Amino acid sequence: MHPFRHAASKAALGSALTALLLTERRTTGAVSLAHFWLRRARRLLPALGVFLLCVALYAWLLAPATELDAIRRDGLATIGYVANWRAILAHQDYWAIFRSASPLEHTWSLSIEEQFYILWPLVFVGILAVARRRIAPAVLVTCVVLAAGSAALMVALYEP
């Protein structure tokens, strides 16, 4: 998937996730983080488990010995939903993940999604605690501030 289209799909995910949280708040009067995370786990973990089992079989039966260490590290990072941080800390070129032969290189995207599933509901509950009545404007302001902070951090940390 093209990186810009991928970013747009992640933005849509954030909108859908926020809509789910707003709906739960409106219908029940609260947001149950435990139930939210349990629903996400039931939806995503079975497919991830099957995928990792297939990758393990590939590594055991077909992968060249030179790839095994990278597959093992990628697998552990995938299980912990930190594949994006593993790539960053390894100083991996962003575009290299699209040229790599590793069957797990693409899981950086899943890691970002899962980190969002963990962090955004916590931020949302914090917004609910602070902005008891005007929730939608508070969510919008929070998103704008976080996006601006992220952009500023990217500029500050950029090394050509």
Side-chain angles (χ1 to χ4, degrees):
M1 178 179 286
H2 190 275
F4 297 117
R5 193 173 314 139
H6 183 75
S9 69
K10 291 298 181 188
L13 169 73
S15 297
L17 178 57
T18 302
L20 285 173
L21 294 168
L22 285 169
T23 300
E24 182 176 350
R25 168 69 157 74
R26 188 173 44 255
T27 58
T28 68
V31 172
S32 171
L33 294 176
H35 288 118
F36 173 81
W37 289 324
L38 186 60
R39 286 190 306 268
R40 300 286 81 70
R42 273 189 261 150
R43 185 174 69 84
L44 295 171
L45 290 179
L48 180 63
V50 170
F51 173 67
L52 288 172
L53 179 62
C54 291
V55 170
L57 287 172
Y58 161 76
W60 182 45
L61 298 172
L62 301 171
T66 56
E67 290 181 19
L68 294 179
D69 189 48
I71 291 172
R72 188 176 302 112
R73 285 190 312 248
D74 290 344
L76 291 173
T78 299
I79 289 169
Y81 289 121
V82 293
N84 59 323
W85 290 107
R86 180 191 167 316
I88 290 168
L89 295 174
H91 302 287
Q92 185 176 29
D93 172 23
Y94 175 79
W95 297 107
I97 63 175
F98 298 104
R99 296 184 302 262
S100 176
S102 173
L104 294 167
E105 287 292 335
H106 69 284
T107 60
W108 65 270
S109 174
L110 182 61
S111 295
I112 291 170
E113 185 175 325
E114 288 308 304
Q115 292 161 24
F116 184 74
Y117 279 152
I118 292 168
L119 295 176
W120 181 244
L122 292 172
V123 171
F124 186 84
V125 168
I127 293 168
L128 291 178
V130 173
R132 297 198 185 276
R133 293 179 189 253
R134 299 188 45 87
I135 297 166
V139 168
L140 177 63
V141 168
T142 301
C143 289
V144 169
V145 167
L146 290 173
S150 175
L153 193 58
M154 285 191 311
V155 168
L157 295 176
Y158 176 68
E159 294 178 18

